[in-house]
Amino acid sequence: MTNVSSLEVRIEKKKLERAAYVLKCVAHPVRISIIDLLEQRTRLTVSELQEVLKIEQSLLSHHLTNMRDKGVVNTQREGKNVYYFLTDVSITNIIDCINGCKVF
Amino acid sequence: MTNVSSLEVRIEKKKLERAAYVLKCVAHPVRISIIDLLEQRTRLTVSELQEVLKIEQSLLSHHLTNMRDKGVVNTQREGKNVYYFLTDVSITNIIDCINGCKVF
DNA sequence: TAAATATATGAATACATGGTCATATATTTA
DNA sequence: TAAATATATGACCATGTATTCATATATTTA
């Protein structure tokens, strides 16, 4: 058995927990799609997302609330519409990971 | 409302489902840690992982089985030991995403 | 101000997941 | 071959998650 005494996880505990928490949010087909769409259009209303994704309004709303709770997206209301946008566009790097790793 | 007719998800459905499935597996503090450790050491036995991670043997085994089922890691037995290693090292790009995006 | 439009919320349910415990299997060593 | 070591498995339970349905809220328009 190799010596392992110098080996340690290079990510601190709090960061690990936060990362897992946010990744869990990303780990859903609809929510990955939303990230992809918001990379293309900067901001989209719920109706626009619904038109593209073709899922029930309330289900989409639940997904969006989930993503906002975790800081992945943010909102701005304009009249009847609520625009959703990525809090940090660099989260789209996850999609590059998906496309660049055979495991996915 | 902006025209959305040219907008679509740029990832095909099967790929989205597979990506979500694998991401769900990555989205856990212990499993992210395992990926980080296997980037540093190429391969590690269950005992070595246990020594670093300090979690119960059977819990670790469940995590590893989970990761293997999803194709994230693979194994090779050598005597009493089973070595685990990353199926595709480029999955560690996920950790770079975590470190490079404020949301995480 | 009533109706229409856009979005959010909450309850309920079914299913998945994480962790623990007891036990099983595989391999080596005494 | 019995004991020791390394790892895996299965049952169980508590908690979390996804989806649906009904309904609520906010804003605009007729």
Side-chain angles (χ1 to χ4, degrees):
Chain A
M1 173 132 118
T2 317
N3 181 350
V4 110
S5 59
S6 67
L7 182 62
E8 58 175 24
V9 179
R10 295 167 298 185
I11 310 158
E12 65 174 0
K13 196 179 173 191
K14 280 284 168 205
K15 180 91 183 171
L16 274 174
E17 275 160 13
R18 172 76 192 165
Y21 181 71
V22 175
L23 274 181
K24 223 171 283 176
C25 172
V26 176
H28 188 287
V30 169
R31 295 190 297 256
I32 297 171
S33 300
I34 291 169
I35 291 172
D36 180 57
L37 294 171
L38 290 177
E39 186 185 15
Q40 298 176 63
R41 285 297 174 96
T42 307
R43 62 175 210 163
L44 289 164
T45 66
V46 179
S47 306
E48 289 171 333
L49 285 165
Q50 201 184 343
E51 194 181 332
V52 178
L53 294 171
K54 292 174 176 61
I55 62 174
E56 212 208 327
Q57 183 273 318
S58 96
L59 178 55
L60 176 55
S61 189
H62 279 303
H63 281 302
L64 290 169
T65 301
N66 181 349
M67 294 172 86
R68 190 171 59 177
D69 287 350
K70 277 142 191 170
V72 174
V73 295
N74 229 309
T75 55
Q76 48 198 181
R77 179 176 275 275
E78 268 177 35
K80 284 185 290 189
N81 300 304
V82 174
Y83 283 93
Y84 279 80
F85 57 95
L86 295 172
T87 303
D88 181 345
V89 183
S90 72
I91 201 167
T92 59
N93 290 334
I94 292 280
I95 294 178
D96 301 336
C97 289
I98 291 168
N99 289 320
C101 175
K102 288 173 196 165
V103 176
F104 292 101
Chain B
M1 172 133 119
T2 317
N3 181 350
V4 112
S5 60
S6 68
L7 182 62
E8 58 177 22
V9 178
R10 295 167 298 185
I11 311 159
E12 65 175 358
K13 197 180 172 189
K14 281 282 168 206
K15 180 92 185 170
L16 274 174
E17 274 160 13
R18 172 76 193 164
Y21 181 69
V22 175
L23 273 182
K24 223 172 285 178
C25 172
V26 177
H28 189 286
V30 168
R31 297 190 296 255
I32 297 172
S33 299
I34 292 170
I35 292 172
D36 180 55
L37 294 171
L38 289 176
E39 186 185 15
Q40 297 177 61
R41 286 295 175 97
T42 306
R43 64 176 208 163
L44 288 164
T45 66
V46 180
S47 305
E48 289 172 332
L49 284 166
Q50 202 184 341
E51 193 181 333
V52 178
L53 295 171
K54 294 175 175 58
I55 61 173
E56 213 208 327
Q57 182 274 319
S58 96
L59 178 54
L60 176 55
S61 189
H62 279 304
H63 281 301
L64 290 169
T65 301
N66 181 349
M67 293 173 85
R68 190 171 59 176
D69 287 350
K70 277 144 191 171
V72 175
V73 295
N74 229 309
T75 55
Q76 48 200 180
R77 178 176 276 275
E78 268 176 38
K80 285 183 292 188
N81 300 305
V82 174
Y83 283 92
Y84 278 81
F85 56 95
L86 294 172
T87 302
D88 182 345
V89 183
S90 72
I91 201 167
T92 58
N93 291 335
I94 293 280
I95 294 178
D96 301 335
C97 288
I98 291 168
N99 289 319
C101 175
K102 288 175 197 165
V103 176
F104 292 101

